Amino acid sequence: MVENMKANMENPNFLNEKEALLEEVTKEVLKRRKERQKNKE
């Protein structure tokens, strides 16, 4: 765990990359949820 934190601190773009990844995952989840609701109708 410490090694992971150390590697993250060394990467200056860590927070931006993490935020972009979360945004991508959120977009995918919402897309799948919308498709599921559409199929229920």
Side-chain angles (χ1 to χ4, degrees):
M1 187 172 139
V2 173
E3 294 88 10
N4 191 24
M5 288 174 62
K6 192 173 180 184
N8 291 340
M9 298 275 263
E10 290 173 2
N11 181 358
N13 296 324
F14 171 70
L15 290 176
N16 292 336
E17 290 171 5
K18 182 178 177 184
E19 190 173 324
L21 181 63
L22 286 173
E23 198 173 297
E24 185 71 29
V25 169
T26 302
K27 198 183 300 181
E28 185 66 29
V29 168
L30 292 175
K31 182 177 140 189
R32 289 184 183 183
R33 183 182 295 169
K34 189 175 179 180
E35 288 175 4
R36 228 183 0 252
Q37 288 177 347
K38 184 179 174 185
N39 290 335
K40 279 186 176 180
E41 294 174 351

